[in-house]
Amino acid sequence: MNDGYEAFRHKESQALSDLVQKRFHYLQNPSDCSTARKLVCKINKGCGLGCQLHHIVYCFIMAYATERTLILKSKGWRYHKNGWEEIYMPVSETCLDSEGETQGTWPSTDVQVLTVPIIDSLNPRPPYLPLAIPADLAPRLIRIHGDPIAWWIGQLLKYILKPQPETAEMLENGKNKLGFKKPIVGVHVRRTDKVGTEAAFHSLDEYMKAVDDYYDQREMVERIDKRRVYIASDDPKVIDEARRNYPQYEVIGDPEIAKHAAVSTRYTDTSLNGIMLDIDLLSKSDFLVCTFSSQVCRVAYEIMQSMYPDASSRFKSLDDIYYYGGQNAHNVISVMDHQPKSTDQISMKTGDLIGIAGNHWNGFSKGKNIRNNQNGLFPSFKVNNKVEVADFPTYSHIDE
Ligand code: GDP
């Protein structure tokens, strides 16, 4: 945006990030671990890294909202048996054990050590789950960021994902070896076990069309010497196909990484390195083209939000709109009346709340009008996103 407020946005974004990172640090480093209130989170979800990171972030939100230190339990982790702390820095410098006088499971919150189930099974469901952002941050955040919830998740990921020196070295070497440099569009092509079960197939040409559009736009205002893409996939053929069919592009990517990403070989140290590198480089790209049905891509998008004051427009999803698995309802607000033009459309009055289920990318979205209970299609331009806000502790005693 060229409105003369770029410097303000940079400064304000940095200040907000510093503020929440300081709060996380305070929460995670109690002076006496034996009496600290704790929230225990097991990385036991039988799913991929993106899904597990979202599980940890959900636990961290619960910890932040209930003022408890997050304790990660990761021995026997499917990606690395010795646990999280050999790959990433421990989430606390002072408190890693889950000992305590009293133990209990949500919603028994009057215990010292609280365990929470996976987000889908959480009951009752507190209002501060995604897509809600903390009320005390909302006015400042909404002013500078186009997708505040992605920023909030990005900040939680930023705190959790501090690589151990060996991991940092692996990421740096991987980046250099591949020749990753800007300008670059990160393309994530999710195939194998996902296609036909949880997501539809999309051809490489569809992804590359979106990449072309991105570069065409940039070239209207600047010269691009080389159109470059970084391709991450769980299907090695995709990288070969891109090299073959798009010679005008510099294609960066490693079919070897993709080979280890396939479902049969997914949970080894080699594949963990591969997926960490892929997520890192996707998040460092100028723009992301992917399917938001994949948690890999959503994680990359969320991390990207901590790299720019506002990276909310730096993506193109070929399928879903942004969501957080297990989220509370996602509503949009109608800003114009709408009369149905066919039986599959719904009627709307200005100010109606619509629970949105998805965008069909043909000008229409699908959802349910909460006022009249109609379920169906409506023109996407007639609604605005509703930013959900919830009360969290404000940690005001440490903000001075
Ligand atoms: P989702 O299934 O796509 O929603 O995402 P998850 O992260 O939960 O599970 C997919 C897993 O497949 C990842 O964590 C990786 O282990 C592997 N995978 C998928 N896509 C890629 C990719 O582009 N690169 C690499 N290295 N691994 C991938």
Side-chain angles (χ1 to χ4, degrees), residues 136-150:
D136 69 312
L137 303 174
R140 290 175 71 184
L141 188 52
I142 289 168
R143 196 139 67 116
I144 57 160
H145 203 281
D147 193 0
I149 180 63

Side-chain angles (χ1 to χ4, degrees), residues 38 57 59 96 157 172 179 184 236 296 333 357 369 371 395-396:
K38 304 172 184 182
V57 165
C59 290
L96 294 172
L157 285 167
E172 189 58 24
I184 196 156
V296 171
I333 307 172
N369 190 331
R371 179 179 56 81
Y395 295 86
S396 49

Side-chain angles (χ1 to χ4, degrees), residues 36 44 49 65 99 126 159 194 210 237 275 298 318 327 372 383:
N44 58 354
L49 186 69
E99 304 300 308
Y159 191 87
K194 192 94 174 174
K237 290 196 294 294
I275 184 61
R298 296 205 304 282
L318 299 183
Q327 70 192 23
N372 60 18
V383 301

Side-chain angles (χ1 to χ4, degrees), residues 83-341:
W84 175 268
E85 290 80 17
E86 285 192 2
I87 307 296
Y88 295 104
M89 302 302 282
V91 293
S92 170
E93 289 149 28
T94 65
C95 191
L96 294 172
D97 75 66
S98 57
E99 304 300 308
E101 287 267 300
T102 50
Q103 318 259 342
T105 307
W106 178 267
S108 313
T109 46
D110 55 348
V111 291
Q112 189 189 345
V113 184
L114 177 67
T115 306
V116 291
I118 61 168
I119 189 168
D120 314 76
S121 314
L122 192 72
N123 189 21
R125 298 178 64 78
Y128 46 73
L129 294 177
L131 304 172
I133 56 165
D136 69 312
L137 303 174
R140 290 175 71 184
L141 188 52
I142 289 168
R143 196 139 67 116
I144 57 160
H145 203 281
D147 193 0
I149 180 63
W151 180 91
W152 170 232
I153 305 298
Q155 288 298 316
L156 292 151
L157 285 167
K158 178 178 170 174
Y159 191 87
I160 294 165
L161 293 179
K162 300 203 178 91
Q164 285 282 7
E166 218 174 288
T167 306
E169 197 185 317
M170 179 280 294
L171 294 173
E172 189 58 24
N173 287 346
K175 181 176 165 204
N176 294 337
K177 203 172 130 216
L178 285 163
F180 181 95
K181 60 179 176 195
K182 293 193 170 191
I184 196 156
V185 173
V187 179
H188 178 235
V189 182
R190 182 72 165 95
R191 294 268 169 87
T192 66
D193 56 314
K194 192 94 174 174
V195 173
T197 54
E198 294 179 4
F201 177 89
H202 291 276
S203 69
L204 179 65
D205 295 345
E206 290 175 72
Y207 293 85
M208 292 307 288
K209 164 81 173 60
V211 177
D212 273 335
D213 289 348
Y214 170 79
Y215 279 117
D216 286 350
Q217 274 222 333
R218 267 186 78 164
E219 286 203 329
M220 288 164 81
V221 290
E222 65 186 305
R223 214 182 104 77
I224 302 279
D225 284 333
K226 189 78 212 168
R227 291 189 173 202
R228 207 173 283 112
V229 282
Y230 177 70
I231 302 196
S233 181
D234 53 341
D235 177 359
K237 290 196 294 294
V238 172
I239 296 164
D240 300 331
E241 182 185 348
R243 295 214 162 106
R244 212 171 40 245
N245 294 354
Y246 293 88
Q248 69 277 35
Y249 273 88
E250 183 181 344
V251 175
I252 296 188
D254 185 351
E256 275 304 308
I257 294 179
K259 230 191 260 173
H260 290 281
V263 71
S264 53
T265 50
R266 191 168 286 170
Y267 304 108
T268 62
D269 277 312
T270 312
S271 55
L272 176 60
N273 282 346
I275 184 61
M276 287 193 299
L277 181 62
D278 276 344
I279 289 176
D280 188 51
L281 296 182
L282 289 169
S283 73
K284 288 185 168 132
S285 298
D286 294 302
F287 191 79
L288 263 175
V289 176
C290 60
T291 45
F292 268 174
S293 56
S294 170
Q295 313 219 40
V296 171
C297 184
R298 296 205 304 282
V299 163
Y301 171 69
E302 290 151 357
I303 297 172
M304 197 185 220
Q305 306 309 314
S306 52
M307 314 253 174
Y308 303 86
D310 178 4
S312 62
S313 306
R314 292 178 179 266
F315 79 97
K316 164 84 187 172
S317 167
L318 299 183
D319 58 12
D320 295 340
I321 55 172
Y322 178 79
Y323 68 97
Y324 196 92
Q327 70 192 23
N328 285 337
H330 180 187
N331 294 321
V332 294
I333 307 172
S334 165
V335 290
M336 270 180 243
D337 292 356
H338 183 66
Q339 291 306 324
K341 309 281 184 300

